[in-house]
Amino acid sequence: MFTQNDFGKRLKEFRKRRSLTQKEVATKIGVSEQALSKWENGDCLPDVYNLRLLAIVLNVSVDCLLDTENETAEKVIETININGAVFEIVEKPETILAGKVIYAKDFSDVSDFNSAIDAIANEGDPYDAGLLKDAVLPINDIHLSVNFWLDEKSRAYGFVREVLTECQPQVIDVYKIPASLYIRAYTNKFTAQLMSKEQCEIWELFAYIRDYFMPAHGFKMAENGAQELEVFDTFEHKSGYAYMPVMRQ
């Protein structure tokens, strides 16, 4: 996995290859020299906008800057196409998630629990992302649904990101999901059309996968504690991937 320390070293290497100072790069992309220094030292990471600007200034692709061109933590073992909508069967390794996780057992009833989820979502970032140690790149916001298909009191919900270590600051919650087989689908016009819509949210794909895709293709819900994931590929949470943990029947 590629960490923010690795990113900092790589950023510094490409800057020096271009014979640019920190101040020159910072000026070109419109940030402070201190911000660039923090990125190179691995103290924090640039957002997507500045990451793209860095790639332009350094004359490399974003994938090259992140060293993700040939790296993947997941293995796609099968692809199923339904009228243009692509569903991938993915082997996903054990994953450590960190951020804010709330549990239904800590509330008087499930309606209070659901209200707490909505309140946190409406507040914006529920934790300081800068506190996370060894965040996995590229950075993706993840909404974690725990046991939403089982007993209400066993449920949990997380606003998290993937990290490499469970050793996080005390104010950060950590949740580990086991290695599992997942069905993965992306929010686009083709998956939306399966639900007779022009566009869809990630969470809407869960119901389609569970009620239609899984029975038709010989899958059932995983029984190993793996959980549903909404993995957003924009900071506005307009699109992304639905991960449904499954096993073959």
Side-chain angles (χ1 to χ4, degrees):
M1 291 287 189
F2 197 48
T3 69
Q4 60 190 44
N5 285 328
D6 294 328
F7 172 80
K9 293 176 182 177
R10 197 164 179 81
L11 174 59
K12 185 176 182 179
E13 176 186 347
F14 280 112
R15 176 177 62 78
K16 288 189 173 182
R17 286 185 187 180
R18 297 279 293 169
S19 300
L20 294 169
T21 66
Q22 286 186 342
K23 184 176 182 179
E24 288 172 331
V25 173
T27 300
K28 286 177 180 292
I29 67 172
V31 301
S32 67
E33 188 176 349
Q34 289 77 13
L36 191 74
S37 177
K38 287 183 177 180
W39 298 340
E40 290 193 355
N41 290 332
D43 295 332
C44 59
L45 296 164
D47 59 23
V48 172
Y49 176 75
N50 284 320
L51 182 61
R52 290 173 177 171
L53 291 180
L54 284 169
I56 292 171
V57 169
L58 299 175
N59 196 29
V60 296
S61 68
V62 170
D63 283 339
C64 182
L65 192 57
L66 294 176
D67 194 25
T68 58
E69 291 181 318
N70 299 305
E71 180 181 331
T72 178
E74 302 171 353
K75 180 181 179 182
V76 178
I77 60 175
E78 185 179 355
T79 300
I80 299 172
N81 190 305
I82 303 176
N83 298 327
V86 175
F87 294 83
E88 296 172 310
I89 314 304
V90 177
E91 289 181 347
K92 187 174 179 62
E94 180 181 83
T95 304
I96 302 171
L97 303 173
K100 176 67 175 179
V101 183
I102 60 174
Y103 296 85
K105 62 181 177 61
D106 296 329
F107 296 83
S108 57
D109 57 53
V110 71
S111 62
D112 289 341
F113 170 63
N114 291 332
S115 295
I117 294 174
D118 292 338
I120 294 173
N122 291 332
E123 288 173 0
D125 294 335
Y127 62 92
D128 185 352
L131 294 177
L132 297 184
K133 293 183 178 179
D134 291 337
V136 172
L137 299 181
I139 294 291
N140 289 304
D141 288 333
I142 299 172
H143 287 181
L144 164 71
S145 299
V146 179
N147 294 336
F148 269 61
W149 63 92
L150 298 176
D151 178 70
E152 290 181 348
K153 283 297 182 181
S154 69
R155 294 178 182 176
Y157 197 87
F159 301 84
V160 295
R161 290 176 175 177
E162 186 175 348
V163 295
L164 290 179
T165 177
E166 294 180 73
C167 298
Q168 300 292 330
Q170 288 187 345
V171 295
I172 298 294
D173 299 321
V174 175
Y175 192 95
K176 184 188 292 185
I177 59 175
S180 184
L181 195 67
Y182 281 82
I183 294 172
R184 181 175 72 187
Y186 188 72
T187 53
N188 56 26
K189 66 178 183 180
F190 298 109
T191 49
Q193 286 171 359
L194 295 176
M195 294 172 278
S196 301
K197 303 181 69 173
E198 292 185 1
Q199 58 185 21
C200 65
E201 303 287 342
I202 296 178
W203 60 267
E204 293 178 286
L205 292 175
F206 292 143
Y208 179 86
I209 293 171
R210 184 185 298 113
D211 297 339
Y212 299 100
F213 183 90
M214 287 167 54
H217 296 278
F219 292 96
K220 63 180 181 179
M221 294 301 298
E223 299 173 354
N224 62 352
Q227 308 299 346
E228 295 169 332
L229 302 172
E230 296 176 74
V231 181
F232 299 96
D233 62 355
T234 65
F235 284 111
E236 297 81 13
H237 297 176
K238 297 297 185 182
S239 61
Y241 290 90
Y243 281 75
M244 176 73 75
V246 297
M247 57 191 300
R248 296 187 186 275
Q249 291 184 328

